Amino acid sequence: MRRSLTDTILARSGKLYLQLRLRDKRKIEKELAVKYEGHYRNAGLMLLFDVFMALAVVAIVGLVALALYFVAT
């Protein structure tokens, strides 16, 4: 079965993320099985969601700061 480009990108980013974070192969396999249902794609997807959530928080804080600036002046 052929995988899509997005699945491949998510799987590779998930694998790289776990390798950089945990470094030990046994820890990676354990966390992959427990937290990400044994798929690097799920780890990449969670990483993508975390990045989007961080960007959303930055955007909301920026909008609130802008609103407070214009209300205060």
Side-chain angles (χ1 to χ4, degrees):
M1 184 171 157
R2 195 175 151 107
R3 289 174 35 168
S4 69
L5 178 64
T6 54
D7 286 343
T8 303
I9 292 171
L10 287 172
R12 288 186 182 181
S13 64
K15 187 174 185 176
L16 180 64
Y17 167 67
L18 289 176
Q19 286 175 346
L20 289 175
R21 201 179 101 216
L22 298 174
R23 300 194 190 264
D24 184 24
K25 190 170 185 168
R26 279 181 266 131
K27 287 181 183 178
I28 291 171
E29 290 173 1
K30 183 179 179 183
E31 181 145 345
L32 189 65
V34 171
K35 199 171 181 183
Y36 301 111
E37 300 175 358
H39 299 285
Y40 285 112
R41 180 189 175 276
N42 293 343
L45 198 57
M46 292 304 296
L47 177 64
L48 183 65
F49 286 151
D50 288 345
V51 168
F52 279 145
M53 289 303 291
L55 290 174
V57 167
V58 167
I60 290 171
V61 168
L63 289 174
V64 169
L66 227 96
L68 289 174
Y69 175 76
F70 284 117
V71 169
T73 57

